[in-house]
Amino acid sequence: MDMATKNPRLQILLEKPLYKAVATLADEEGVSMSTKARDLIKEALEHLEDMALERIVETRARKPAKLLTMREMRRRLDA
């Protein structure tokens, strides 16, 4: 049975300490190093996204928008 995947692949070189850390985490979770590396990259990207969104929230908190009445909000949504 052919187990080829259509997902793109990424080949990376890791320093020994980083390689060992990923190997240890993968072993502890019973997953392949590839799966663990993918999961770590996903987590890092989610963290970066959270930080970017937090900066947006902080900026908006410094410049509060004008509050709208329910009537005005409904008018804008119906437009």
Side-chain angles (χ1 to χ4, degrees):
M1 174 183 250
D2 185 36
M3 295 295 282
T5 180
K6 293 184 187 229
N7 290 332
R9 293 181 179 263
L10 174 66
Q11 183 175 345
I12 59 172
L13 298 174
L14 302 174
E15 296 85 5
K16 283 185 181 183
L18 187 53
Y19 180 91
K20 287 180 181 180
V22 174
T24 299
L25 291 170
D27 187 52
E28 288 173 356
E29 295 180 19
V31 298
S32 69
M33 285 186 66
S34 177
T35 296
K36 188 60 196 173
R38 182 202 60 206
D39 292 348
L40 289 168
I41 291 170
K42 277 182 175 179
E43 289 176 23
L45 291 174
E46 288 171 1
H47 177 70
L48 290 172
E49 181 183 28
D50 289 347
M51 289 174 30
L53 292 172
E54 186 176 329
R55 284 192 297 272
I56 291 169
V57 168
E58 288 171 354
T59 300
R60 288 182 180 173
R62 286 192 297 270
K63 299 180 194 175
K66 176 186 166 193
L67 296 177
L68 301 176
T69 64
M70 280 301 281
R71 176 178 287 156
E72 178 64 16
M73 188 65 115
R74 285 188 182 114
R75 188 186 69 74
R76 289 185 182 196
L77 290 173
D78 289 337

Coordinates of all heavy atoms in Angstrom, one line a residue:
M1 N 0.8 -1.2 0.0 CA 0.0 0.0 0.0 C 0.9 1.2 0.0 O 1.8 1.4 0.8 CB -0.9 0.0 1.2 CG -1.7 1.2 1.4 SD -2.8 1.1 2.9 CE -4.3 1.0 2.1
D2 N 0.6 2.1 -0.9 CA 1.4 3.4 -1.0 C 1.0 4.4 0.0 O -0.2 4.7 0.0 CB 1.3 3.9 -2.4 CG 2.2 5.1 -2.6 OD1 3.3 5.2 -2.1 OD2 1.8 6.0 -3.4
M3 N 1.8 4.8 0.9 CA 1.5 5.8 1.9 C 2.0 7.2 1.6 O 2.1 8.0 2.5 CB 2.1 5.3 3.3 CG 1.6 4.0 3.8 SD -0.1 4.1 4.2 CE 0.0 4.9 5.8
A4 N 2.2 7.5 0.3 CA 2.7 8.8 -0.1 C 1.7 9.9 0.3 O 0.5 9.6 0.2 CB 3.0 8.8 -1.6
T5 N 2.2 11.0 0.7 CA 1.4 12.1 1.1 C 1.4 13.2 0.0 O 2.4 13.3 -0.6 CB 1.8 12.6 2.5 OG1 0.9 13.7 2.8 CG2 3.2 13.1 2.5
K6 N 0.4 14.0 -0.1 CA 0.4 15.1 -1.0 C 0.7 16.4 -0.3 O 0.8 17.4 -0.9 CB -1.0 15.2 -1.6 CG -1.3 14.0 -2.5 CD -2.6 14.2 -3.2 CE -3.0 12.9 -3.9 NZ -3.3 13.1 -5.3
N7 N 1.0 16.3 1.0 CA 1.4 17.5 1.8 C 2.8 17.9 1.4 O 3.6 17.0 1.2 CB 1.3 17.2 3.3 CG -0.1 17.1 3.8 OD1 -1.0 17.7 3.2 ND2 -0.3 16.4 4.8
P8 N 3.1 19.2 1.3 CA 4.4 19.6 1.1 C 5.4 19.2 2.2 O 5.0 19.1 3.3 CB 4.3 21.1 1.0 CG 2.9 21.5 1.0 CD 2.2 20.3 1.5
R9 N 6.6 19.0 1.8 CA 7.6 18.6 2.8 C 8.6 19.7 3.1 O 8.8 20.5 2.2 CB 8.4 17.3 2.4 CG 7.5 16.1 2.3 CD 8.3 14.9 1.8 NE 7.4 13.7 1.8 CZ 7.3 12.8 2.8 NH1 8.1 13.0 3.8 NH2 6.5 11.8 2.7
L10 N 9.2 19.7 4.2 CA 10.2 20.7 4.6 C 11.4 19.9 5.2 O 11.2 19.1 6.2 CB 9.6 21.6 5.6 CG 10.6 22.7 6.2 CD1 11.1 23.6 5.1 CD2 9.9 23.4 7.3
Q11 N 12.5 20.1 4.7 CA 13.7 19.5 5.2 C 14.5 20.5 6.0 O 14.8 21.6 5.4 CB 14.6 18.9 4.1 CG 15.8 18.1 4.6 CD 16.5 17.4 3.5 OE1 16.0 17.3 2.4 NE2 17.7 17.0 3.8
I12 N 14.9 20.3 7.2 CA 15.6 21.3 8.0 C 16.8 20.6 8.7 O 16.8 19.4 8.9 CB 14.7 21.9 9.1 CG1 14.1 20.9 10.0 CG2 13.6 22.7 8.4 CD1 13.4 21.5 11.2
L13 N 17.8 21.5 9.0 CA 18.9 21.0 9.7 C 18.8 21.6 11.1 O 18.5 22.8 11.3 CB 20.2 21.5 9.1 CG 20.5 21.0 7.7 CD1 21.7 21.7 7.1 CD2 20.6 19.5 7.7
L14 N 19.1 20.8 12.1 CA 19.0 21.2 13.5 C 20.3 21.0 14.2 O 21.0 20.1 14.0 CB 17.9 20.4 14.3 CG 16.5 20.4 13.7 CD1 15.6 19.4 14.5 CD2 15.9 21.8 13.8
E15 N 20.6 21.9 15.1 CA 21.8 21.7 16.0 C 21.5 20.5 16.9 O 20.3 20.2 17.2 CB 22.0 23.0 16.9 CG 22.4 24.2 16.1 CD 21.2 25.0 15.6 OE1 20.0 24.6 15.9 OE2 21.3 26.0 14.8
K16 N 22.5 19.9 17.4 CA 22.3 18.7 18.2 C 21.4 18.8 19.4 O 20.6 18.0 19.6 CB 23.7 18.1 18.6 CG 24.4 17.4 17.5 CD 25.7 16.7 17.9 CE 26.3 16.0 16.7 NZ 27.5 15.3 17.1
P17 N 21.6 19.9 20.2 CA 20.7 20.1 21.3 C 19.3 20.2 20.9 O 18.4 19.7 21.6 CB 21.2 21.4 22.0 CG 22.6 21.5 21.5 CD 22.7 21.0 20.1
L18 N 19.0 20.9 19.9 CA 17.6 21.1 19.4 C 17.1 19.8 18.9 O 15.9 19.4 19.2 CB 17.5 22.2 18.3 CG 16.2 22.6 17.8 CD1 15.2 23.0 19.0 CD2 16.3 23.7 16.8
Y19 N 17.9 19.0 18.1 CA 17.5 17.7 17.6 C 17.2 16.8 18.8 O 16.1 16.1 18.8 CB 18.6 17.1 16.8 CG 18.3 15.8 16.2 CD1 17.7 15.7 15.0 CD2 18.6 14.6 16.9 CE1 17.4 14.4 14.4 CE2 18.3 13.4 16.4 CZ 17.7 13.3 15.1 OH 17.4 12.0 14.6
K20 N 18.0 16.8 19.8 CA 17.8 15.9 21.0 C 16.5 16.3 21.7 O 15.8 15.4 22.2 CB 19.0 15.9 21.9 CG 20.2 15.2 21.4 CD 21.4 15.3 22.3 CE 22.6 14.6 21.8 NZ 23.7 14.6 22.7
A21 N 16.2 17.6 21.8 CA 15.0 18.1 22.5 C 13.8 17.6 21.8 O 12.8 17.1 22.4 CB 15.1 19.6 22.6
V22 N 13.8 17.7 20.5 CA 12.6 17.3 19.7 C 12.5 15.8 19.8 O 11.4 15.3 19.9 CB 12.7 17.8 18.2 CG1 11.6 17.2 17.4 CG2 12.7 19.3 18.1
A23 N 13.6 15.1 19.7 CA 13.6 13.6 19.8 C 13.0 13.2 21.1 O 12.2 12.2 21.2 CB 15.0 13.0 19.6
T24 N 13.4 13.8 22.2 CA 12.9 13.5 23.6 C 11.4 13.7 23.7 O 10.7 12.9 24.2 CB 13.7 14.3 24.6 OG1 15.1 14.0 24.5 CG2 13.2 14.0 26.0
L25 N 11.0 14.9 23.2 CA 9.5 15.2 23.2 C 8.7 14.2 22.4 O 7.7 13.8 22.8 CB 9.3 16.6 22.7 CG 9.8 17.8 23.6 CD1 9.7 19.1 22.9 CD2 9.0 17.8 24.9
A26 N 9.2 13.9 21.2 CA 8.5 12.9 20.4 C 8.4 11.6 21.0 O 7.4 10.9 21.0 CB 9.2 12.8 19.0
D27 N 9.5 11.2 21.6 CA 9.6 9.9 22.3 C 8.6 9.8 23.5 O 7.8 8.9 23.7 CB 11.0 9.6 22.8 CG 11.1 8.2 23.4 OD1 10.7 7.2 22.7 OD2 11.6 8.0 24.5
E28 N 8.6 10.9 24.3 CA 7.7 11.0 25.4 C 6.2 10.9 25.0 O 5.4 10.4 25.7 CB 7.9 12.3 26.2 CG 9.2 12.3 27.0 CD 9.5 13.6 27.6 OE1 8.7 14.6 27.4 OE2 10.5 13.7 28.3
E29 N 5.9 11.5 23.8 CA 4.5 11.5 23.4 C 4.2 10.3 22.4 O 3.0 10.2 22.0 CB 4.2 12.8 22.7 CG 4.3 14.0 23.6 CD 4.0 15.3 22.9 OE1 3.4 15.3 21.8 OE2 4.4 16.4 23.5
G30 N 5.2 9.5 22.1 CA 4.9 8.4 21.3 C 4.6 8.7 19.8 O 3.8 8.0 19.2
V31 N 5.2 9.8 19.3 CA 4.9 10.3 18.0 C 6.3 10.4 17.2 O 7.3 10.4 17.9 CB 4.2 11.6 17.9 CG1 2.8 11.5 18.5 CG2 5.0 12.7 18.5
S32 N 6.2 10.5 15.9 CA 7.4 10.6 15.2 C 8.0 12.0 15.4 O 7.3 13.0 15.8 CB 7.2 10.4 13.7 OG 6.4 11.5 13.2
M33 N 9.3 12.2 15.1 CA 9.9 13.5 15.2 C 9.3 14.4 14.2 O 9.2 15.6 14.5 CB 11.5 13.4 15.0 CG 12.2 12.8 16.1 SD 14.0 12.8 15.9 CE 14.3 14.6 16.0
S34 N 9.0 14.0 13.1 CA 8.3 14.8 12.0 C 7.0 15.4 12.6 O 6.7 16.6 12.4 CB 8.1 14.0 10.8 OG 7.4 14.8 9.8
T35 N 6.2 14.5 13.2 CA 4.9 15.0 13.7 C 5.2 16.0 14.9 O 4.5 17.0 14.9 CB 4.1 13.8 14.3 OG1 3.8 12.9 13.1 CG2 2.8 14.2 14.9
K36 N 6.1 15.7 15.7 CA 6.4 16.6 16.9 C 6.9 17.9 16.3 O 6.5 19.0 16.8 CB 7.4 16.0 17.8 CG 7.5 16.8 19.1 CD 6.2 16.9 19.8 CE 6.2 18.0 20.8 NZ 4.8 18.2 21.4
A37 N 7.8 17.9 15.4 CA 8.3 19.2 14.8 C 7.2 20.0 14.2 O 7.1 21.2 14.3 CB 9.4 18.9 13.8
R38 N 6.3 19.3 13.4 CA 5.1 20.0 12.8 C 4.3 20.6 13.9 O 3.9 21.8 13.8 CB 4.3 19.0 12.0 CG 3.1 19.6 11.3 CD 2.0 18.7 11.0 NE 1.5 18.0 12.2 CZ 0.9 16.9 12.3 NH1 0.8 16.1 11.2 NH2 0.5 16.4 13.4
D39 N 4.0 19.9 15.0 CA 3.2 20.4 16.1 C 3.8 21.6 16.7 O 3.2 22.6 17.1 CB 2.9 19.3 17.1 CG 2.0 18.2 16.5 OD1 1.4 18.4 15.4 OD2 1.8 17.2 17.2
L40 N 5.1 21.5 16.9 CA 5.9 22.7 17.5 C 5.8 23.9 16.6 O 5.7 25.0 17.1 CB 7.3 22.3 17.9 CG 7.5 21.3 19.0 CD1 8.9 20.7 19.0 CD2 7.1 21.9 20.3
I41 N 5.9 23.7 15.3 CA 5.9 24.8 14.4 C 4.5 25.4 14.5 O 4.3 26.7 14.5 CB 6.3 24.4 13.0 CG1 7.7 24.1 12.9 CG2 5.9 25.5 12.0 CD1 8.2 23.4 11.6
K42 N 3.4 24.6 14.5 CA 2.1 25.1 14.6 C 1.9 25.9 15.9 O 1.3 27.0 15.8 CB 1.1 23.9 14.6 CG 0.7 23.4 13.3 CD -0.3 22.3 13.6 CE -0.9 21.7 12.4 NZ -1.9 20.6 12.7
E43 N 2.4 25.4 17.0 CA 2.2 26.1 18.2 C 3.0 27.5 18.2 O 2.4 28.5 18.7 CB 2.8 25.3 19.4 CG 1.9 24.1 19.8 CD 2.6 23.2 20.8 OE1 3.4 23.7 21.6 OE2 2.2 22.0 20.9
A44 N 4.1 27.5 17.6 CA 4.9 28.7 17.5 C 4.2 29.8 16.6 O 4.1 30.9 17.0 CB 6.3 28.5 16.9
L45 N 3.6 29.3 15.5 CA 2.8 30.2 14.7 C 1.6 30.7 15.4 O 1.2 31.9 15.2 CB 2.5 29.5 13.4 CG 3.6 29.2 12.4 CD1 3.2 28.4 11.2 CD2 4.3 30.5 12.0
E46 N 0.9 29.9 16.1 CA -0.3 30.3 16.9 C 0.1 31.4 17.9 O -0.6 32.3 18.2 CB -1.0 29.1 17.5 CG -1.7 28.3 16.5 CD -2.2 26.9 17.1 OE1 -2.0 26.7 18.3 OE2 -2.8 26.2 16.4
H47 N 1.3 31.1 18.6 CA 1.8 32.1 19.6 C 2.1 33.4 18.9 O 1.7 34.5 19.5 CB 3.0 31.5 20.3 CG 3.6 32.4 21.3 ND1 3.0 32.7 22.5 CD2 4.8 33.1 21.2 CE1 3.8 33.5 23.1 NE2 4.9 33.8 22.4
L48 N 2.7 33.4 17.8 CA 3.0 34.7 17.1 C 1.7 35.4 16.7 O 1.6 36.6 16.8 CB 3.9 34.4 15.8 CG 5.3 33.9 16.1 CD1 6.0 33.5 14.8 CD2 6.1 35.1 16.8
E49 N 0.7 34.6 16.2 CA -0.6 35.2 15.9 C -1.2 35.8 17.1 O -1.7 37.0 17.0 CB -1.5 34.2 15.3 CG -2.8 34.7 14.9 CD -3.8 33.7 14.3 OE1 -3.6 32.5 14.7 OE2 -4.6 34.0 13.5
D50 N -1.2 35.1 18.2 CA -1.7 35.7 19.5 C -1.0 37.0 19.9 O -1.7 37.9 20.3 CB -1.6 34.7 20.6 CG -2.5 33.5 20.5 OD1 -3.4 33.5 19.6 OD2 -2.3 32.5 21.2
M51 N 0.3 37.0 19.7 CA 1.0 38.2 20.1 C 0.6 39.4 19.2 O 0.5 40.5 19.6 CB 2.5 38.0 20.0 CG 3.0 37.1 21.1 SD 4.8 36.6 21.1 CE 5.6 37.9 20.3
A52 N 0.4 39.1 17.9 CA 0.0 40.2 16.9 C -1.4 40.7 17.3 O -1.6 41.9 17.3 CB 0.1 39.6 15.5
L53 N -2.3 39.8 17.6 CA -3.6 40.2 17.9 C -3.6 41.0 19.2 O -4.4 41.9 19.4 CB -4.5 38.9 18.0 CG -4.8 38.2 16.7 CD1 -5.6 36.9 17.0 CD2 -5.6 39.1 15.8
E54 N -2.8 40.6 20.2 CA -2.7 41.3 21.4 C -2.2 42.7 21.2 O -2.7 43.7 21.8 CB -1.7 40.6 22.4 CG -1.6 41.2 23.7 CD -0.7 40.4 24.7 OE1 -0.6 39.2 24.5 OE2 -0.1 41.1 25.6
R55 N -1.3 42.9 20.3 CA -0.8 44.3 19.9 C -2.0 45.1 19.3 O -2.1 46.3 19.6 CB 0.3 44.3 19.0 CG 1.7 43.9 19.6 CD 2.9 44.1 18.7 NE 2.8 43.3 17.5 CZ 3.3 42.1 17.4 NH1 3.9 41.5 18.5 NH2 3.3 41.4 16.3
I56 N -2.8 44.5 18.5 CA -4.0 45.2 17.9 C -4.9 45.6 19.0 O -5.4 46.7 19.1 CB -4.7 44.3 16.9 CG1 -3.8 44.1 15.7 CG2 -6.0 44.9 16.5 CD1 -4.3 43.1 14.7
V57 N -5.2 44.7 20.0 CA -6.1 45.0 21.1 C -5.5 46.1 21.9 O -6.3 47.1 22.3 CB -6.3 43.7 22.0 CG1 -7.0 44.1 23.3 CG2 -7.1 42.7 21.2
E58 N -4.3 46.1 22.2 CA -3.6 47.2 23.0 C -3.8 48.5 22.3 O -4.0 49.5 22.9 CB -2.2 46.8 23.3 CG -2.0 45.7 24.3 CD -0.6 45.2 24.4 OE1 0.3 45.7 23.7 OE2 -0.3 44.4 25.3
T59 N -3.5 48.5 21.0 CA -3.6 49.8 20.2 C -5.1 50.3 20.2 O -5.3 51.5 20.4 CB -3.2 49.5 18.7 OG1 -1.9 49.1 18.7 CG2 -3.4 50.8 17.9
R60 N -6.0 49.4 20.1 CA -7.4 49.8 20.1 C -7.9 50.3 21.5 O -8.7 51.2 21.6 CB -8.3 48.7 19.6 CG -8.2 48.4 18.1 CD -9.1 47.3 17.7 NE -9.0 47.1 16.2 CZ -9.6 46.1 15.6 NH1 -10.4 45.3 16.3 NH2 -9.4 46.0 14.3
A61 N -7.3 49.7 22.5 CA -7.7 50.1 23.9 C -7.2 51.5 24.1 O -7.8 52.3 24.9 CB -7.1 49.1 24.9
R62 N -6.1 51.9 23.5 CA -5.5 53.3 23.7 C -6.4 54.3 22.9 O -6.4 55.5 23.3 CB -4.1 53.4 23.3 CG -3.1 52.7 24.2 CD -1.7 53.1 23.9 NE -1.2 52.6 22.6 CZ -0.7 51.4 22.4 NH1 -0.5 50.6 23.4 NH2 -0.3 51.0 21.2
K63 N -7.0 53.9 21.9 CA -7.8 54.8 21.0 C -9.2 54.2 21.0 O -9.6 53.6 20.0 CB -7.3 54.9 19.6 CG -5.9 55.4 19.5 CD -5.5 55.5 18.1 CE -4.0 55.7 17.9 NZ -3.6 55.6 16.5
P64 N -10.0 54.3 22.0 CA -11.3 53.7 22.0 C -12.2 54.3 20.9 O -12.2 55.5 20.6 CB -11.9 54.0 23.4 CG -11.0 55.1 24.0 CD -9.7 55.0 23.2
A65 N -13.0 53.5 20.3 CA -13.9 53.9 19.2 C -15.1 54.5 19.8 O -15.5 54.3 20.9 CB -14.2 52.7 18.3
K66 N -15.8 55.3 19.0 CA -17.1 55.9 19.4 C -18.1 54.8 19.6 O -18.2 53.9 18.8 CB -17.6 56.8 18.3 CG -18.9 57.4 18.5 CD -19.4 58.2 17.3 CE -20.9 58.5 17.5 NZ -21.4 59.0 16.3
L67 N -18.8 54.9 20.7 CA -19.9 53.9 21.0 C -21.1 54.2 20.2 O -21.4 55.4 20.0 CB -20.2 53.9 22.5 CG -19.1 53.5 23.5 CD1 -19.6 53.7 24.9 CD2 -18.6 52.1 23.2
L68 N -21.7 53.1 19.7 CA -22.9 53.3 18.9 C -24.1 52.8 19.6 O -24.1 51.9 20.4 CB -22.8 52.4 17.6 CG -21.6 52.8 16.7 CD1 -21.6 51.8 15.5 CD2 -21.7 54.2 16.2
T69 N -25.3 53.5 19.4 CA -26.5 53.0 19.9 C -26.9 51.7 19.2 O -26.5 51.5 18.1 CB -27.6 54.1 19.8 OG1 -27.9 54.3 18.4 CG2 -27.2 55.4 20.5
M70 N -27.9 51.0 19.8 CA -28.4 49.8 19.1 C -29.1 50.2 17.8 O -28.9 49.5 16.7 CB -29.4 49.0 20.0 CG -28.7 48.2 21.0 SD -27.7 46.9 20.2 CE -28.9 45.7 19.7
R71 N -29.8 51.3 17.8 CA -30.4 51.8 16.5 C -29.4 52.0 15.4 O -29.6 51.6 14.3 CB -31.2 53.0 16.9 CG -31.9 53.6 15.6 CD -32.7 54.8 15.9 NE -33.9 54.4 16.6 CZ -34.7 55.1 17.4 NH1 -34.3 56.4 17.6 NH2 -35.7 54.6 18.0
E72 N -28.3 52.7 15.8 CA -27.3 53.0 14.8 C -26.6 51.7 14.3 O -26.3 51.6 13.1 CB -26.3 54.0 15.4 CG -25.1 54.3 14.4 CD -25.5 55.1 13.2 OE1 -26.7 55.6 13.1 OE2 -24.7 55.1 12.2
M73 N -26.4 50.8 15.2 CA -25.7 49.5 14.8 C -26.6 48.8 13.9 O -26.2 48.3 12.9 CB -25.5 48.7 16.1 CG -24.7 47.5 15.8 SD -23.0 47.9 15.3 CE -22.1 47.3 16.6
R74 N -27.9 48.7 14.2 CA -28.9 48.0 13.3 C -28.9 48.7 11.9 O -29.0 48.0 10.9 CB -30.3 48.0 13.9 CG -30.4 47.0 15.0 CD -31.8 46.8 15.5 NE -31.9 45.9 16.6 CZ -32.2 46.2 17.8 NH1 -32.6 47.4 18.1 NH2 -32.2 45.3 18.8
R75 N -28.9 50.0 11.9 CA -28.9 50.8 10.7 C -27.7 50.4 9.8 O -27.8 50.2 8.6 CB -29.0 52.3 10.9 CG -29.2 53.1 9.7 CD -29.1 54.6 10.0 NE -27.8 55.1 10.3 CZ -26.8 55.2 9.4 NH1 -27.0 54.9 8.2 NH2 -25.6 55.6 9.8
R76 N -26.6 50.4 10.4 CA -25.3 50.1 9.7 C -25.3 48.6 9.2 O -24.8 48.4 8.1 CB -24.1 50.3 10.6 CG -23.9 51.8 10.8 CD -22.6 52.0 11.6 NE -22.4 53.4 11.9 CZ -21.2 53.9 12.2 NH1 -20.2 53.2 12.4 NH2 -21.1 55.2 12.5
L77 N -25.8 47.7 10.0 CA -25.8 46.3 9.6 C -26.8 46.1 8.4 O -26.6 45.2 7.6 CB -26.2 45.4 10.8 CG -25.1 45.3 11.8 CD1 -25.6 44.5 13.0 CD2 -23.8 44.7 11.3
D78 N -27.9 46.8 8.4 CA -28.9 46.7 7.4 C -28.5 47.3 6.1 O -29.0 47.0 5.0 CB -30.3 47.2 7.8 CG -30.9 46.4 8.9 OD1 -30.6 45.2 9.0 OD2 -31.8 46.9 9.6
A79 N -27.6 48.2 6.1 CA -27.2 49.0 4.9 C -26.4 48.1 3.9 O -26.0 47.1 4.1 CB -26.3 50.2 5.3

